[in-house]
Amino acid sequence: MAALGIAMGGGNWFSALVLGVTLLKCLLIPTYHSTDFEVHRNWLAITHSLPISQWYYEATSEWTLDYPPFFAWFEYALSHVAKHFDQEMLNVHNLNYASSKTLLFQRFSVIFTDALFVYAVHECCKCIDGKKAGKELTEKPKFILSVLLLWNFGLLIVDHIHFQYNGFLFGLMLLSIARLLQKRHMEGAFLFAVLLHFKHIYLYVAPAYGIYLLRSYCFTANKPEPTASSLFPTLPFQAGPLPRILGSKLLGFVQCFGQSAVCHRLLSVGKAGDASIFLILTTTGHYSLFPLLFTAPELPIKILLMLLFTIYSISSLKTLFRKEKPLFNWMETFYLLGLGPLEVFCEFVFPFTSWKLTYSFIPLFLTSVYCAVGITYAWFKLYVSVLTDPPVGKTKKQ
């Protein structure tokens, strides 16, 4: 801790945060992994051992390659490193192969490719207005945003326990947003186009990107200088900030939640209203991920990590906006506190009832409905703020 304090005091706090979360990711290597682990192992085998013409037709495994071409080439590149760990993982017929070396390679491949996410976070933080910066490092918006992004609970459990490559993909998206904030519109558009060729789920964000670029770059003689708080509210159809549209997806689409919560962090340090929406969305959304980790050893891990992240998120943003009204009203506070009893019932009470065998779906049903209410409320509140808040430019003039 003393070393961390020295590093932060010396201006290397970002590196200290990166090092800390990387060590945590390494500690999560032995944990449970989902069928997505086998999905990506199979894609490594397909792209490495078969000609390109067969990549999207190979069906030995039920986990066929169904991501866009850039992700296929991403797997192909990883496979040439994987062969130095365990050649057998690259055999298409080795279904459900999970040797210790395969586990290490795939876990470390996620950690290593997170470097793009780290760089994107750094670039986004450079765009944050520092006017609210307090005297203490921990009260500065850039520090708070860095922690909220780098130590994102959702990414930690989905990528580094459940197993996916969302950090790498979110890195592309955040870097694209950072380039737009920096008035490097062509680079931002290019990076988003690249992202679409990695994962097609981001396609529904394209209309917001297109309209923003038409408004702020193509059809504007005097191109305004964007800021983190004014970039996406300039959309002419009042869709609000680009991260805001993502909240329209409820449960069942974990990726949709992830994009909304991760990107909404950019707004959370700019305005108290956005901070409130972010906290409701991210707390509810993070809890909705709990069913992904259903094994007993991971129960204390997910509870502890979520508690730590939630407590930090609320306390840091309350400190940042301490001169403004409370971030939650009584109804929102009551709702968020209700997540505690819900977890107790689902994890510690229901398993010992007679309903466990007959109605085993009840915990998942209750979690889905409860979280859907919170995310829908956050989505509704967000759009109300977009439609009623004055434009940033007018606010500054007043």
Side-chain angles (χ1 to χ4, degrees):
M1 292 298 295
L4 182 61
I6 294 173
M8 288 185 171
N12 295 322
W13 57 267
F14 188 84
S15 299
L17 289 176
V18 173
L19 177 61
V21 76
T22 302
L23 291 176
L24 175 59
K25 292 172 184 177
C26 291
L27 291 176
L28 296 176
I29 288 177
T31 57
Y32 152 85
H33 56 78
S34 71
T35 53
D36 282 333
F37 182 88
E38 169 61 13
V39 170
H40 288 282
R41 186 215 60 80
N42 186 55
W43 293 358
L44 287 172
I46 289 174
T47 56
H48 185 82
S49 59
L50 298 177
I52 299 175
S53 59
Q54 297 181 31
W55 285 2
Y56 287 95
Y57 296 95
E58 165 57 38
T60 301
S61 168
E62 62 181 308
W63 312 117
T64 55
L65 180 56
D66 57 5
Y67 273 25
F70 280 16
F71 203 94
W73 285 104
F74 171 73
E75 295 279 4
Y76 174 78
L78 289 178
S79 73
H80 284 276
V81 181
K83 65 183 181 182
H84 298 293
F85 282 74
D86 187 346
Q87 186 72 32
E88 288 302 308
M89 80 172 82
L90 303 176
N91 186 335
V92 173
H93 300 285
N94 273 354
L95 302 183
N96 299 310
Y97 185 79
S99 68
S100 58
K101 291 182 179 179
T102 301
L103 174 66
L104 284 175
F105 168 75
Q106 292 199 235
R107 289 295 197 191
F108 277 118
S109 68
V110 178
I111 296 173
F112 178 78
T113 54
D114 273 356
L116 178 61
F117 180 71
V118 171
Y119 174 68
V121 171
H122 185 266
E123 290 297 297
C124 283
C125 288
K126 285 162 47 175
C127 305
I128 296 300
D129 185 3
K131 291 182 180 179
K132 287 188 176 68
K135 294 181 180 180
E136 299 294 329
L137 171 65
T138 54
E139 297 180 6
K140 296 182 184 296
K142 291 184 178 181
F143 179 85
I144 295 173
L145 179 62
S146 296
V147 176
L148 295 180
L149 287 170
L150 293 173
W151 290 76
N152 173 20
F153 166 78
L155 280 180
L156 283 174
I157 69 166
V158 174
D159 277 15
H160 301 279
I161 299 181
H162 184 78
F163 193 84
Q164 287 185 19
Y165 289 93
N166 292 300
F168 171 75
L169 297 170
F170 288 152
L172 277 172
M173 187 171 186
L174 287 179
L175 189 58
S176 171
I177 293 175
R179 293 299 180 249
L180 295 181
L181 291 169
Q182 297 162 0
K183 296 194 297 183
R184 296 157 67 172
H185 298 88
M186 295 299 290
E187 289 182 44
F190 173 76
L191 287 169
F192 182 70
V194 170
L195 176 62
L196 292 180
H197 286 78
F198 270 98
K199 195 165 185 178
H200 48 287
I201 197 173
Y202 291 89
L203 186 61
Y204 62 84
V205 189
Y209 261 86
I211 293 176
Y212 168 73
L213 289 171
L214 287 173
R215 172 72 181 270
S216 66
Y217 182 72
C218 298
F219 298 150
T220 304
N222 299 318
K223 299 180 178 61
E225 179 177 354
T227 64
S229 60
S230 67
L231 177 59
F232 294 106
T234 59
L235 294 177
F237 63 98
Q238 292 294 326
L242 175 130
R244 297 181 172 191
I245 349 174
L246 304 174
S248 60
K249 304 295 184 182
L250 302 182
L251 294 179
F253 294 96
V254 174
Q255 302 301 335
C256 298
F257 156 70
Q259 293 160 29
S260 179
V262 170
C263 295
H264 204 86
R265 283 162 173 76
L266 296 175
L267 299 166
S268 65
V269 295
K271 193 171 64 172
D274 283 328
S276 172
I277 296 170
F278 158 75
L279 289 172
I280 297 170
L281 176 63
T282 196
T283 304
T284 307
H286 281 165
Y287 183 75
S288 75
L289 298 174
F290 269 35
L292 287 178
L293 306 183
F294 51 85
T295 53
E298 280 66 45
L299 177 61
I301 296 176
K302 66 182 182 182
I303 292 177
L304 178 61
L305 287 180
M306 180 171 172
L307 279 176
L308 291 174
F309 184 84
T310 303
I311 291 170
Y312 173 79
S313 300
I314 295 174
S315 61
S316 61
L317 291 175
K318 275 189 174 181
T319 301
L320 185 62
F321 298 106
R322 57 183 174 273
K323 295 182 180 179
E324 304 186 35
K325 65 179 182 180
L327 295 179
F328 305 122
N329 58 37
W330 68 268
M331 181 182 67
E332 294 164 350
T333 301
F334 182 80
Y335 172 82
L336 291 176
L337 290 176
L339 291 171
L342 176 61
E343 173 65 6
V344 171
F345 174 78
C346 291
E347 297 284 2
F348 302 103
V349 176
F350 183 81
F352 298 99
T353 65
S354 58
W355 290 357
K356 179 181 179 181
L357 297 178
T358 310
Y359 303 104
S360 59
F361 64 89
I362 286 182
L364 183 58
F365 173 77
L366 292 176
T367 300
S368 299
V369 172
Y370 196 89
C371 292
V373 170
I375 295 176
T376 302
Y377 171 80
W379 176 87
F380 178 76
K381 185 177 180 180
L382 190 144
Y383 269 86
V384 169
S385 72
V386 169
L387 294 171
T388 58
D389 287 355
V392 176
K394 291 183 179 180
T395 304
K396 288 183 177 179
K397 288 179 182 180
Q398 293 171 357

